mmCIF file with all atom_site columns, all heavy atoms in Angstrom:
data_model
loop_
_atom_site.group_PDB
_atom_site.id
_atom_site.type_symbol
_atom_site.label_atom_id
_atom_site.label_alt_id
_atom_site.label_comp_id
_atom_site.label_asym_id
_atom_site.label_entity_id
_atom_site.label_seq_id
_atom_site.pdbx_PDB_ins_code
_atom_site.Cartn_x
_atom_site.Cartn_y
_atom_site.Cartn_z
_atom_site.occupancy
_atom_site.B_iso_or_equiv
_atom_site.pdbx_formal_charge
_atom_site.auth_seq_id
_atom_site.auth_comp_id
_atom_site.auth_asym_id
_atom_site.auth_atom_id
_atom_site.pdbx_PDB_model_num
ATOM 1   N N   . ASP G 1 231 ? 16.130  24.624 -1.801  1.00 0.00 ? 231 ASP G N   1
ATOM 2   C CA  . ASP G 1 231 ? 15.857  24.391 -0.387  1.00 0.00 ? 231 ASP G CA  1
ATOM 3   C C   . ASP G 1 231 ? 14.921  23.189 -0.269  1.00 0.00 ? 231 ASP G C   1
ATOM 4   O O   . ASP G 1 231 ? 13.849  23.168 -0.885  1.00 0.00 ? 231 ASP G O   1
ATOM 5   C CB  . ASP G 1 231 ? 15.199  25.627 0.236   1.00 0.00 ? 231 ASP G CB  1
ATOM 6   C CG  . ASP G 1 231 ? 14.910  25.451 1.711   1.00 0.00 ? 231 ASP G CG  1
ATOM 7   O OD1 . ASP G 1 231 ? 13.923  24.760 2.035   1.00 0.00 ? 231 ASP G OD1 1
ATOM 8   O OD2 . ASP G 1 231 ? 15.662  25.998 2.532   1.00 0.00 ? 231 ASP G OD2 1
ATOM 9   N N   . PRO G 1 232 ? 15.280  22.168 0.509   1.00 0.00 ? 232 PRO G N   1
ATOM 10  C CA  . PRO G 1 232 ? 14.455  20.947 0.609   1.00 0.00 ? 232 PRO G CA  1
ATOM 11  C C   . PRO G 1 232 ? 13.023  21.212 1.058   1.00 0.00 ? 232 PRO G C   1
ATOM 12  O O   . PRO G 1 232 ? 12.079  20.582 0.552   1.00 0.00 ? 232 PRO G O   1
ATOM 13  C CB  . PRO G 1 232 ? 15.206  20.096 1.641   1.00 0.00 ? 232 PRO G CB  1
ATOM 14  C CG  . PRO G 1 232 ? 16.619  20.586 1.583   1.00 0.00 ? 232 PRO G CG  1
ATOM 15  C CD  . PRO G 1 232 ? 16.517  22.047 1.291   1.00 0.00 ? 232 PRO G CD  1
ATOM 16  N N   . ASP G 1 233 ? 12.845  22.123 1.994   1.00 0.00 ? 233 ASP G N   1
ATOM 17  C CA  . ASP G 1 233 ? 11.488  22.433 2.468   1.00 0.00 ? 233 ASP G CA  1
ATOM 18  C C   . ASP G 1 233 ? 10.672  23.097 1.364   1.00 0.00 ? 233 ASP G C   1
ATOM 19  O O   . ASP G 1 233 ? 9.487   22.791 1.183   1.00 0.00 ? 233 ASP G O   1
ATOM 20  C CB  . ASP G 1 233 ? 11.554  23.340 3.697   1.00 0.00 ? 233 ASP G CB  1
ATOM 21  C CG  . ASP G 1 233 ? 12.106  22.624 4.917   1.00 0.00 ? 233 ASP G CG  1
ATOM 22  O OD1 . ASP G 1 233 ? 12.024  21.377 4.960   1.00 0.00 ? 233 ASP G OD1 1
ATOM 23  O OD2 . ASP G 1 233 ? 12.633  23.301 5.827   1.00 0.00 ? 233 ASP G OD2 1
ATOM 24  N N   . ASN G 1 234 ? 11.291  24.016 0.655   1.00 0.00 ? 234 ASN G N   1
ATOM 25  C CA  . ASN G 1 234 ? 10.604  24.676 -0.460  1.00 0.00 ? 234 ASN G CA  1
ATOM 26  C C   . ASN G 1 234 ? 10.255  23.663 -1.547  1.00 0.00 ? 234 ASN G C   1
ATOM 27  O O   . ASN G 1 234 ? 9.169   23.693 -2.127  1.00 0.00 ? 234 ASN G O   1
ATOM 28  C CB  . ASN G 1 234 ? 11.486  25.770 -1.061  1.00 0.00 ? 234 ASN G CB  1
ATOM 29  C CG  . ASN G 1 234 ? 11.689  26.954 -0.119  1.00 0.00 ? 234 ASN G CG  1
ATOM 30  O OD1 . ASN G 1 234 ? 10.935  27.132 0.831   1.00 0.00 ? 234 ASN G OD1 1
ATOM 31  N ND2 . ASN G 1 234 ? 12.705  27.738 -0.398  1.00 0.00 ? 234 ASN G ND2 1
ATOM 32  N N   . TYR G 1 235 ? 11.183  22.776 -1.819  1.00 0.00 ? 235 TYR G N   1
ATOM 33  C CA  . TYR G 1 235 ? 11.002  21.739 -2.836  1.00 0.00 ? 235 TYR G CA  1
ATOM 34  C C   . TYR G 1 235 ? 9.775   20.883 -2.503  1.00 0.00 ? 235 TYR G C   1
ATOM 35  O O   . TYR G 1 235 ? 8.916   20.648 -3.353  1.00 0.00 ? 235 TYR G O   1
ATOM 36  C CB  . TYR G 1 235 ? 12.267  20.876 -2.891  1.00 0.00 ? 235 TYR G CB  1
ATOM 37  C CG  . TYR G 1 235 ? 12.263  19.781 -3.937  1.00 0.00 ? 235 TYR G CG  1
ATOM 38  C CD1 . TYR G 1 235 ? 12.783  20.006 -5.200  1.00 0.00 ? 235 TYR G CD1 1
ATOM 39  C CD2 . TYR G 1 235 ? 11.752  18.510 -3.642  1.00 0.00 ? 235 TYR G CD2 1
ATOM 40  C CE1 . TYR G 1 235 ? 12.802  18.999 -6.164  1.00 0.00 ? 235 TYR G CE1 1
ATOM 41  C CE2 . TYR G 1 235 ? 11.764  17.499 -4.592  1.00 0.00 ? 235 TYR G CE2 1
ATOM 42  C CZ  . TYR G 1 235 ? 12.296  17.744 -5.852  1.00 0.00 ? 235 TYR G CZ  1
ATOM 43  O OH  . TYR G 1 235 ? 12.304  16.746 -6.798  1.00 0.00 ? 235 TYR G OH  1
ATOM 44  N N   . ALA G 1 236 ? 9.698   20.446 -1.262  1.00 0.00 ? 236 ALA G N   1
ATOM 45  C CA  . ALA G 1 236 ? 8.581   19.602 -0.835  1.00 0.00 ? 236 ALA G CA  1
ATOM 46  C C   . ALA G 1 236 ? 7.263   20.367 -0.884  1.00 0.00 ? 236 ALA G C   1
ATOM 47  O O   . ALA G 1 236 ? 6.237   19.837 -1.344  1.00 0.00 ? 236 ALA G O   1
ATOM 48  C CB  . ALA G 1 236 ? 8.834   19.067 0.570   1.00 0.00 ? 236 ALA G CB  1
ATOM 49  N N   . ALA G 1 237 ? 7.275   21.608 -0.401  1.00 0.00 ? 237 ALA G N   1
ATOM 50  C CA  . ALA G 1 237 ? 6.051   22.413 -0.380  1.00 0.00 ? 237 ALA G CA  1
ATOM 51  C C   . ALA G 1 237 ? 5.549   22.679 -1.795  1.00 0.00 ? 237 ALA G C   1
ATOM 52  O O   . ALA G 1 237 ? 4.338   22.617 -2.064  1.00 0.00 ? 237 ALA G O   1
ATOM 53  C CB  . ALA G 1 237 ? 6.306   23.735 0.349   1.00 0.00 ? 237 ALA G CB  1
ATOM 54  N N   . TYR G 1 238 ? 6.472   22.967 -2.703  1.00 0.00 ? 238 TYR G N   1
ATOM 55  C CA  . TYR G 1 238 ? 6.101   23.242 -4.092  1.00 0.00 ? 238 TYR G CA  1
ATOM 56  C C   . TYR G 1 238 ? 5.468   22.010 -4.740  1.00 0.00 ? 238 TYR G C   1
ATOM 57  O O   . TYR G 1 238 ? 4.391   22.083 -5.336  1.00 0.00 ? 238 TYR G O   1
ATOM 58  C CB  . TYR G 1 238 ? 7.325   23.689 -4.880  1.00 0.00 ? 238 TYR G CB  1
ATOM 59  C CG  . TYR G 1 238 ? 7.031   24.040 -6.325  1.00 0.00 ? 238 TYR G CG  1
ATOM 60  C CD1 . TYR G 1 238 ? 6.741   25.347 -6.687  1.00 0.00 ? 238 TYR G CD1 1
ATOM 61  C CD2 . TYR G 1 238 ? 7.028   23.063 -7.319  1.00 0.00 ? 238 TYR G CD2 1
ATOM 62  C CE1 . TYR G 1 238 ? 6.464   25.681 -8.008  1.00 0.00 ? 238 TYR G CE1 1
ATOM 63  C CE2 . TYR G 1 238 ? 6.735   23.385 -8.644  1.00 0.00 ? 238 TYR G CE2 1
ATOM 64  C CZ  . TYR G 1 238 ? 6.463   24.685 -8.980  1.00 0.00 ? 238 TYR G CZ  1
ATOM 65  O OH  . TYR G 1 238 ? 6.172   25.014 -10.291 1.00 0.00 ? 238 TYR G OH  1
ATOM 66  N N   . LEU G 1 239 ? 6.144   20.872 -4.628  1.00 0.00 ? 239 LEU G N   1
ATOM 67  C CA  . LEU G 1 239 ? 5.634   19.643 -5.245  1.00 0.00 ? 239 LEU G CA  1
ATOM 68  C C   . LEU G 1 239 ? 4.292   19.228 -4.661  1.00 0.00 ? 239 LEU G C   1
ATOM 69  O O   . LEU G 1 239 ? 3.378   18.827 -5.386  1.00 0.00 ? 239 LEU G O   1
ATOM 70  C CB  . LEU G 1 239 ? 6.644   18.507 -5.086  1.00 0.00 ? 239 LEU G CB  1
ATOM 71  C CG  . LEU G 1 239 ? 7.927   18.588 -5.918  1.00 0.00 ? 239 LEU G CG  1
ATOM 72  C CD1 . LEU G 1 239 ? 8.768   17.344 -5.709  1.00 0.00 ? 239 LEU G CD1 1
ATOM 73  C CD2 . LEU G 1 239 ? 7.615   18.761 -7.402  1.00 0.00 ? 239 LEU G CD2 1
ATOM 74  N N   . ASN G 1 240 ? 4.143   19.341 -3.346  1.00 0.00 ? 240 ASN G N   1
ATOM 75  C CA  . ASN G 1 240 ? 2.879   18.972 -2.709  1.00 0.00 ? 240 ASN G CA  1
ATOM 76  C C   . ASN G 1 240 ? 1.731   19.821 -3.234  1.00 0.00 ? 240 ASN G C   1
ATOM 77  O O   . ASN G 1 240 ? 0.630   19.319 -3.505  1.00 0.00 ? 240 ASN G O   1
ATOM 78  C CB  . ASN G 1 240 ? 2.985   19.103 -1.187  1.00 0.00 ? 240 ASN G CB  1
ATOM 79  C CG  . ASN G 1 240 ? 3.800   17.991 -0.565  1.00 0.00 ? 240 ASN G CG  1
ATOM 80  O OD1 . ASN G 1 240 ? 3.925   16.908 -1.129  1.00 0.00 ? 240 ASN G OD1 1
ATOM 81  N ND2 . ASN G 1 240 ? 4.378   18.257 0.596   1.00 0.00 ? 240 ASN G ND2 1
ATOM 82  N N   . ARG G 1 241 ? 1.974   21.118 -3.367  1.00 0.00 ? 241 ARG G N   1
ATOM 83  C CA  . ARG G 1 241 ? 0.922   22.013 -3.853  1.00 0.00 ? 241 ARG G CA  1
ATOM 84  C C   . ARG G 1 241 ? 0.582   21.717 -5.311  1.00 0.00 ? 241 ARG G C   1
ATOM 85  O O   . ARG G 1 241 ? -0.598  21.676 -5.703  1.00 0.00 ? 241 ARG G O   1
ATOM 86  C CB  . ARG G 1 241 ? 1.359   23.480 -3.715  1.00 0.00 ? 241 ARG G CB  1
ATOM 87  C CG  . ARG G 1 241 ? 0.286   24.464 -4.125  1.00 0.00 ? 241 ARG G CG  1
ATOM 88  C CD  . ARG G 1 241 ? -0.891  24.407 -3.167  1.00 0.00 ? 241 ARG G CD  1
ATOM 89  N NE  . ARG G 1 241 ? -1.974  25.266 -3.629  1.00 0.00 ? 241 ARG G NE  1
ATOM 90  C CZ  . ARG G 1 241 ? -3.126  24.810 -4.109  1.00 0.00 ? 241 ARG G CZ  1
ATOM 91  N NH1 . ARG G 1 241 ? -3.349  23.514 -4.170  1.00 0.00 ? 241 ARG G NH1 1
ATOM 92  N NH2 . ARG G 1 241 ? -4.063  25.635 -4.506  1.00 0.00 ? 241 ARG G NH2 1
ATOM 93  N N   . GLU G 1 242 ? 1.603   21.488 -6.128  1.00 0.00 ? 242 GLU G N   1
ATOM 94  C CA  . GLU G 1 242 ? 1.353   21.194 -7.535  1.00 0.00 ? 242 GLU G CA  1
ATOM 95  C C   . GLU G 1 242 ? 0.642   19.853 -7.708  1.00 0.00 ? 242 GLU G C   1
ATOM 96  O O   . GLU G 1 242 ? -0.201  19.695 -8.593  1.00 0.00 ? 242 GLU G O   1
ATOM 97  C CB  . GLU G 1 242 ? 2.674   21.188 -8.307  1.00 0.00 ? 242 GLU G CB  1
ATOM 98  C CG  . GLU G 1 242 ? 3.318   22.561 -8.450  1.00 0.00 ? 242 GLU G CG  1
ATOM 99  C CD  . GLU G 1 242 ? 2.460   23.562 -9.205  1.00 0.00 ? 242 GLU G CD  1
ATOM 100 O OE1 . GLU G 1 242 ? 2.069   23.260 -10.353 1.00 0.00 ? 242 GLU G OE1 1
ATOM 101 O OE2 . GLU G 1 242 ? 2.143   24.628 -8.633  1.00 0.00 ? 242 GLU G OE2 1
ATOM 102 N N   . MET G 1 243 ? 0.955   18.880 -6.840  1.00 0.00 ? 243 MET G N   1
ATOM 103 C CA  . MET G 1 243 ? 0.268   17.587 -6.918  1.00 0.00 ? 243 MET G CA  1
ATOM 104 C C   . MET G 1 243 ? -1.194  17.722 -6.523  1.00 0.00 ? 243 MET G C   1
ATOM 105 O O   . MET G 1 243 ? -2.067  17.056 -7.082  1.00 0.00 ? 243 MET G O   1
ATOM 106 C CB  . MET G 1 243 ? 0.984   16.553 -6.043  1.00 0.00 ? 243 MET G CB  1
ATOM 107 C CG  . MET G 1 243 ? 2.262   16.016 -6.674  1.00 0.00 ? 243 MET G CG  1
ATOM 108 S SD  . MET G 1 243 ? 2.956   14.554 -5.858  1.00 0.00 ? 243 MET G SD  1
ATOM 109 C CE  . MET G 1 243 ? 3.676   15.292 -4.390  1.00 0.00 ? 243 MET G CE  1
ATOM 110 N N   . GLU G 1 244 ? -1.485  18.599 -5.563  1.00 0.00 ? 244 GLU G N   1
ATOM 111 C CA  . GLU G 1 244 ? -2.878  18.857 -5.198  1.00 0.00 ? 244 GLU G CA  1
ATOM 112 C C   . GLU G 1 244 ? -3.642  19.416 -6.394  1.00 0.00 ? 244 GLU G C   1
ATOM 113 O O   . GLU G 1 244 ? -4.793  19.039 -6.643  1.00 0.00 ? 244 GLU G O   1
ATOM 114 C CB  . GLU G 1 244 ? -2.936  19.864 -4.044  1.00 0.00 ? 244 GLU G CB  1
ATOM 115 C CG  . GLU G 1 244 ? -2.527  19.302 -2.695  1.00 0.00 ? 244 GLU G CG  1
ATOM 116 C CD  . GLU G 1 244 ? -2.546  20.361 -1.603  1.00 0.00 ? 244 GLU G CD  1
ATOM 117 O OE1 . GLU G 1 244 ? -2.860  21.529 -1.932  1.00 0.00 ? 244 GLU G OE1 1
ATOM 118 O OE2 . GLU G 1 244 ? -2.242  20.034 -0.453  1.00 0.00 ? 244 GLU G OE2 1
ATOM 119 N N   . ILE G 1 245 ? -3.000  20.302 -7.133  1.00 0.00 ? 245 ILE G N   1
ATOM 120 C CA  . ILE G 1 245 ? -3.637  20.904 -8.304  1.00 0.00 ? 245 ILE G CA  1
ATOM 121 C C   . ILE G 1 245 ? -3.858  19.861 -9.391  1.00 0.00 ? 245 ILE G C   1
ATOM 122 O O   . ILE G 1 245 ? -4.913  19.819 -10.030 1.00 0.00 ? 245 ILE G O   1
ATOM 123 C CB  . ILE G 1 245 ? -2.785  22.080 -8.832  1.00 0.00 ? 245 ILE G CB  1
ATOM 124 C CG1 . ILE G 1 245 ? -2.741  23.208 -7.794  1.00 0.00 ? 245 ILE G CG1 1
ATOM 125 C CG2 . ILE G 1 245 ? -3.344  22.604 -10.147 1.00 0.00 ? 245 ILE G CG2 1
ATOM 126 C CD1 . ILE G 1 245 ? -1.755  24.299 -8.116  1.00 0.00 ? 245 ILE G CD1 1
ATOM 127 N N   . LEU G 1 246 ? -2.868  18.991 -9.606  1.00 0.00 ? 246 LEU G N   1
ATOM 128 C CA  . LEU G 1 246 ? -3.018  17.906 -10.578 1.00 0.00 ? 246 LEU G CA  1
ATOM 129 C C   . LEU G 1 246 ? -4.195  17.003 -10.218 1.00 0.00 ? 246 LEU G C   1
ATOM 130 O O   . LEU G 1 246 ? -5.001  16.631 -11.076 1.00 0.00 ? 246 LEU G O   1
ATOM 131 C CB  . LEU G 1 246 ? -1.734  17.075 -10.648 1.00 0.00 ? 246 LEU G CB  1
ATOM 132 C CG  . LEU G 1 246 ? -0.558  17.621 -11.462 1.00 0.00 ? 246 LEU G CG  1
ATOM 133 C CD1 . LEU G 1 246 ? 0.617   16.666 -11.362 1.00 0.00 ? 246 LEU G CD1 1
ATOM 134 C CD2 . LEU G 1 246 ? -0.947  17.838 -12.920 1.00 0.00 ? 246 LEU G CD2 1
ATOM 135 N N   . ASP G 1 247 ? -4.288  16.649 -8.934  1.00 0.00 ? 247 ASP G N   1
ATOM 136 C CA  . ASP G 1 247 ? -5.383  15.794 -8.472  1.00 0.00 ? 247 ASP G CA  1
ATOM 137 C C   . ASP G 1 247 ? -6.727  16.478 -8.675  1.00 0.00 ? 247 ASP G C   1
ATOM 138 O O   . ASP G 1 247 ? -7.714  15.846 -9.072  1.00 0.00 ? 247 ASP G O   1
ATOM 139 C CB  . ASP G 1 247 ? -5.192  15.447 -6.993  1.00 0.00 ? 247 ASP G CB  1
ATOM 140 C CG  . ASP G 1 247 ? -4.034  14.492 -6.764  1.00 0.00 ? 247 ASP G CG  1
ATOM 141 O OD1 . ASP G 1 247 ? -3.569  13.889 -7.739  1.00 0.00 ? 247 ASP G OD1 1
ATOM 142 O OD2 . ASP G 1 247 ? -3.593  14.365 -5.608  1.00 0.00 ? 247 ASP G OD2 1
ATOM 143 N N   . TYR G 1 248 ? -6.768  17.776 -8.378  1.00 0.00 ? 248 TYR G N   1
ATOM 144 C CA  . TYR G 1 248 ? -8.010  18.539 -8.523  1.00 0.00 ? 248 TYR G CA  1
ATOM 145 C C   . TYR G 1 248 ? -8.463  18.574 -9.986  1.00 0.00 ? 248 TYR G C   1
ATOM 146 O O   . TYR G 1 248 ? -9.632  18.323 -10.300 1.00 0.00 ? 248 TYR G O   1
ATOM 147 C CB  . TYR G 1 248 ? -7.813  19.956 -8.000  1.00 0.00 ? 248 TYR G CB  1
ATOM 148 C CG  . TYR G 1 248 ? -8.978  20.877 -8.266  1.00 0.00 ? 248 TYR G CG  1
ATOM 149 C CD1 . TYR G 1 248 ? -10.137 20.798 -7.503  1.00 0.00 ? 248 TYR G CD1 1
ATOM 150 C CD2 . TYR G 1 248 ? -8.923  21.813 -9.296  1.00 0.00 ? 248 TYR G CD2 1
ATOM 151 C CE1 . TYR G 1 248 ? -11.211 21.631 -7.761  1.00 0.00 ? 248 TYR G CE1 1
ATOM 152 C CE2 . TYR G 1 248 ? -9.995  22.645 -9.559  1.00 0.00 ? 248 TYR G CE2 1
ATOM 153 C CZ  . TYR G 1 248 ? -11.135 22.549 -8.788  1.00 0.00 ? 248 TYR G CZ  1
ATOM 154 O OH  . TYR G 1 248 ? -12.194 23.377 -9.051  1.00 0.00 ? 248 TYR G OH  1
#
Side-chain angles (χ1 to χ4, degrees):
D231 181 283
D233 291 337
N234 292 342
Y235 182 92
Y238 182 93
L239 289 184
N240 286 336
R241 183 67 185 110
E242 291 299 304
M243 283 192 285
E244 286 177 359
I245 295 170
L246 281 178
D247 289 345
Y248 173 77

